[in-house]
Amino acid sequence: MSMIAAFYGSKSILITGATGFLGKVLMEKLFRTSPDLKVIYILVRPKAGQTLQQRVFQILNSKLFEKVKEVCPKVHEKIKPIYADLNQKDLAISKEDMQELLSYTNIIFHCAATVRFDDPLRHAVQLNVTATQQLLFMASQMPKLEAFIHISTAYSNCNLKHIDEVVYPCSVEPKKIIESMEWLDDAIIDEITPKLIAGRPNTYTYTKALGEMLVQQEGGNLNVAIIRPSIVGATWQEPFPGWVDNLNGPSGLIVAAGKGFLRSIKATPMAVADLVPVDTVVNLTLAVGWYTAVHRPKPTLIYHCTSGTINPCNWGKMGLQVLATFEKVPFERAFRRPNADFTTNYFTASCWNAVSHRAPAIIYDFYLRLTGRKPRMTKLMNRLLRTISMLEYFINQSWEWSTYNTEMLMSELSPEDQRVFNFDVSQLNWLEYIENYVMGVKKHILKEDMAGIPEARQHLKRLRNIHYLFNTALFLIIWCLLLARSQMARNMWFFIVSFCYKFISYFRASRTLKI
Ligand SMILES: CCCCCCCCCCCCCCCCCCCCCCCCCCCC(=O)SCCNC(=O)CCNC(=O)[C@H](O)C(C)(C)COP(=O)(O)OP(=O)(O)OC[C@H]1O[C@@H](n2cnc3c(N)ncnc32)[C@H](O)[C@@H]1OP(=O)(O)O
Ligand SMILES: NC(=O)C1=CN([C@@H]2O[C@H](COP(=O)(O)OP(=O)(O)OC[C@H]3O[C@@H](n4cnc5c(N)ncnc54)[C@H](OP(=O)(O)O)[C@@H]3O)[C@@H](O)[C@H]2O)C=CC1
């Protein structure tokens, strides 16, 4: 029997961000391995016209939770959605709900955050810092609380090349940043943002670093741990390989490449692609929750959930595997044949963007206008190029994260726990993982059935023929224009034609003599 699974049995657990990518997998694993847990409180807000109950219903009836229903038939009775909005003071939790949370919560997993790279600093501070402060204040009033697990990111200190499992202080105290957001206007905040995030690429990584510092400073007597995942990708093994449900990180770009929108990306092929499967992150998170509650380590321990030092793979190898998988499992209704590559300098990248991204979008929008349809490709391409510009920071350099605490934790686990809560990425086969990842993007994000592959292949063959036809027509048009305007081109054309004529005549003559 797994000690960790037994530990969570009969526990009351609070998860923030449970409707997110990581939060859903965390919930699924808890219900599947500890079906006798007492309750999972989840902070949820209405979204896209769905009520809390509708959102929970949609999650519990998703493919991700298929196995849970077998082992925990009463799962819907064990999950309690609580209205909350991290944008609001006191998280907008009602008094009754707050009283219940304070009275019964044993473990907190704080996953909620804004993961957008382009959020204004005020919004990112509110979600990634102020909300964390409010959750810590709630936790300090929970008499039964055994552990507070904070999910940060391995890139919170991406301004450093080597990152240890310690909290690195930010130049300005989190509390001062929180206070200043209350009286500074947006214009001033926009002006000081670059100075505050100095060395970091965006407000996301900066506010995650502030959140860590706050947890360390205001964790007080709480039993706290911090987990820093790197780039979280689709599931590796459980509940099944390849599950993913959002366009963040690699997933969005795999869609863009598979649909033929993305043709080149500025990246360093030999740079370490520090991906980590979401189920690996969840297994580590649950192991950390158990270890923190049972062993109460002091001071606060930070755990890196990364793959680059243990089982490194690079963007070049991953990219080739992504492209190879497109051959096997093409996406439907592609805009162009998937064919992407890395560029390694800005000039080449700019040229490729103009020729391979913007120009085709303009031509296609022109065609849409001619056929009476609304142009949309240029807007989509601009959005994709903007997304890529924000992700490029992370695929053009490598970082090194120490993993002492994570390896120590693994050694503390029994063999059964190491099996059930496996976070040993040294066992990961990257080629197999990326293939499952691309197939998962097709099935779970694009909602494409595998039965549609033959038609998708036919569509790609049609695109190839159109591509050849277009290139031939373009060549002929350019050549005719050259012939009309350039005496040198005409001379060259005359030389080529006469050479071919003489060659054919000689060839015929030599054949006649042989006879
Ligand atoms: C798998 C390895 C492949 C190896 C390389 C391959 C190279 C050769 C080419 C072969 C093809 C391979 C393609 C894969 C490329 C791999 C590169 C991988 C890079 C990954 C780096 C990630 C680094 C993350 C580090 C930090 C990790 C964390 O700690 S946080 C989690 C990560 N956070 C994010 O990823 C958030 C990023 N997203 C944003 O910040 C925002 O979405 C945005 C600012 C980028 C876009 O904002 P915008 O307002 O324009 O869009 P939004 O409102 O969000 O959505 C509008 C519509 O666009 C869709 N959308 C959203 N995001 C993406 C996206 N990333 N790609 C495509 N489309 C996206 C969204 O669904 C919306 O659609 P509608 O709702 O219909 O409007
Ligand atoms: N994905 C990755 O590559 C990595 C993620 N992480 C960290 O993991 C954690 C989870 O990330 P991930 O699951 O990918 O992110 P998602 O964007 O998928 O989920 C974010 C969660 O936070 C919730 N949330 C956001 N804003 C609010 C709000 N105003 N009120 C209430 N809830 C809110 C979202 O709720 P809703 O569904 O209502 O929007 C969602 O449940 C984050 O802390 C992130 O920093 C760390 C490293 C890598």
Side-chain angles (χ1 to χ4, degrees):
M1 174 66 178
S2 159
M3 283 195 296
I4 297 175
F7 166 77
Y8 288 106
S10 78
K11 287 292 187 299
S12 298
I13 300 160
L14 167 59
I15 302 177
T16 71
T19 54
F21 177 45
L22 186 65
K24 284 174 189 166
V25 180
L26 176 63
M27 252 198 313
E28 191 277 336
K29 177 78 179 198
L30 273 166
F31 279 126
R32 181 160 43 86
T33 51
S34 303
D36 52 350
L37 62 82
K38 189 171 183 181
V39 61
I40 295 185
Y41 298 110
I42 62 172
L43 302 189
V44 190
R45 59 179 172 169
K47 191 173 184 183
Q50 285 189 313
T51 64
L52 278 60
Q53 286 66 28
Q54 286 170 331
R55 296 194 73 186
V56 171
F57 180 82
Q58 187 175 35
I59 292 170
L60 296 184
N61 287 283
S62 65
K63 180 152 179 60
L64 180 69
F65 277 72
E66 273 179 357
K67 291 183 179 176
V68 166
K69 288 185 187 172
E70 296 162 16
V71 297
C72 186
K74 294 188 175 179
V75 60
H76 53 284
E77 294 171 13
K78 289 180 176 261
I79 189 169
K80 175 155 189 181
I82 289 181
Y83 173 83
D85 185 346
L86 303 188
N87 281 312
Q88 307 298 325
K89 197 93 180 111
D90 302 333
L91 310 184
I93 297 173
S94 70
K95 283 195 174 57
E96 298 75 20
D97 287 337
M98 182 64 83
Q99 196 48 52
E100 183 171 353
L101 289 174
L102 299 185
S103 305
Y104 300 116
T105 303
N106 302 122
I107 310 278
I108 295 178
F109 292 107
H110 181 32
C111 305
T114 174
V115 299
R116 292 178 62 96
F117 294 154
D118 66 340
D119 259 347
L121 185 62
R122 184 195 300 280
H123 189 242
V125 167
Q126 173 56 42
L127 283 176
N128 296 350
V129 193
T130 310
T132 300
Q133 185 183 51
Q134 288 165 326
L135 205 68
L136 286 166
F137 179 63
M138 280 172 57
S140 66
Q141 303 168 69
M142 294 176 175
K144 295 183 179 176
L145 188 69
E146 300 174 37
F148 181 109
I149 309 303
H150 177 73
I151 307 294
S152 182
T153 174
Y155 295 93
S156 54
N157 301 287
C158 57
N159 50 321
L160 306 174
K161 277 301 167 204
H162 176 87
I163 299 140
D164 284 321
E165 291 170 310
V166 297
V167 173
Y168 293 87
C170 297
S171 53
V172 181
E173 289 286 326
K175 280 178 274 191
K176 288 183 180 173
I177 296 290
I178 292 171
E179 286 158 11
S180 60
M181 292 298 122
E182 287 164 8
W183 56 274
L184 285 174
D185 67 32
D186 290 344
I188 295 177
I189 291 175
D190 289 346
E191 205 169 310
I192 64 173
T193 296
K195 296 181 179 63
L196 284 170
I197 70 176
R200 291 181 174 91
N202 52 49
T203 56
Y204 166 71
T205 52
Y206 173 63
T207 52
K208 292 300 280 188
L210 283 174
E212 291 180 4
M213 201 173 164
L214 190 81
V215 166
Q216 191 180 53
Q217 289 175 342
E218 302 197 4
N221 298 324
L222 296 175
N223 247 350
V224 177
I226 295 172
I227 296 174
R228 290 176 177 159
S230 51
I231 302 168
V232 182
T235 51
W236 169 22
Q237 297 168 315
E238 45 178 337
F240 50 83
W243 183 82
V244 61
D245 79 337
N246 68 53
L247 286 165
N248 285 338
S251 313
L253 295 184
I254 286 173
V255 169
K259 291 284 188 181
F261 298 124
L262 174 67
R263 277 303 178 78
S264 72
I265 185 169
K266 185 181 171 304
T268 307
M270 294 311 290
V272 173
D274 205 301
L275 266 70
V276 62
V278 61
D279 47 330
T280 303
V281 179
V282 163
N283 287 340
L284 174 63
T285 299
L286 292 172
V288 167
W290 160 77
Y291 185 80
T292 306
V294 170
H295 296 278
R296 309 170 71 81
K298 288 293 179 191
T300 298
L301 289 183
I302 290 90
Y303 300 85
H304 284 159
C305 190
T306 58
S307 60
T309 45
I310 300 161
N311 183 2
C313 189
N314 60 50
W315 290 115
K317 184 179 173 187
M318 281 198 182
L320 289 173
Q321 182 62 5
V322 167
L323 295 173
T325 309
F326 288 149
E327 292 295 320
K328 282 188 207 173
V329 187
F331 291 173
E332 297 174 9
R333 296 180 302 280
F335 172 62
R336 287 179 297 188
R337 290 174 63 79
N339 177 18
D341 201 356
F342 290 121
T343 56
T344 51
N345 67 68
Y346 276 108
F347 177 73
T348 318
S350 307
C351 294
W352 270 115
N353 277 341
V355 169
S356 197
H357 292 136
R358 298 187 192 284
I362 292 167
I363 294 168
Y364 186 71
D365 276 350
F366 180 68
Y367 160 72
L368 289 177
R369 282 195 179 88
L370 281 182
T371 52
R373 286 176 284 178
K374 188 181 173 195
R376 66 181 191 281
M377 192 53 69
T378 305
K379 184 183 174 189
L380 186 144
M381 199 58 84
N382 288 336
R383 225 166 195 175
L384 174 62
L385 293 178
R386 182 168 168 270
T387 297
I388 288 172
S389 67
M390 276 177 236
L391 297 179
E392 279 178 347
Y393 175 89
F394 300 98
I395 57 180
N396 280 284
Q397 50 191 317
S398 304
W399 287 268
E400 191 186 284
W401 289 278
S402 62
T403 53
Y404 171 78
N405 291 340
T406 303
E407 290 170 36
M408 172 280 294
L409 177 60
M410 202 181 299
S411 66
E412 290 286 317
L413 266 56
S414 67
E416 177 62 3
D417 277 335
Q418 287 185 3
R419 183 185 68 81
V420 177
F421 295 89
N422 178 25
F423 52 86
D424 181 5
V425 289
S426 66
Q427 303 164 21
L428 181 59
N429 176 320
W430 282 112
L431 298 185
E432 189 181 296
Y433 173 72
I434 291 294
E435 184 170 316
N436 286 330
Y437 194 155
V438 174
M439 283 200 277
V441 165
K442 179 179 175 68
K443 283 188 275 189
H444 308 298
I445 293 182
L446 299 173
K447 309 293 182 196
E448 294 180 359
D449 192 292
M450 302 308 251
I453 287 177
E455 170 51 32
R457 286 212 175 94
Q458 284 306 317
H459 177 68
L460 290 180
K461 280 187 181 146
R462 288 193 290 271
L463 287 178
R464 182 193 56 198
N465 297 337
I466 292 169
H467 176 76
Y468 290 157
L469 203 62
F470 179 80
N471 283 358
T472 306
L474 192 64
F475 173 76
L476 289 174
I477 290 167
I478 292 169
W479 186 240
C480 291
L481 287 173
L482 269 176
L483 283 177
R485 294 170 180 275
S486 159
Q487 183 57 45
M488 182 187 289
R490 286 195 289 276
N491 294 342
M492 189 189 293
W493 180 241
F494 177 73
F495 171 76
I496 291 168
V497 169
S498 60
F499 177 80
C500 291
Y501 178 73
K502 286 175 183 170
F503 179 77
I504 291 168
S505 312
Y506 170 76
F507 183 69
R508 279 180 178 165
S510 60
R511 279 192 59 180
T512 308
L513 284 175
K514 274 181 185 168
I515 293 168

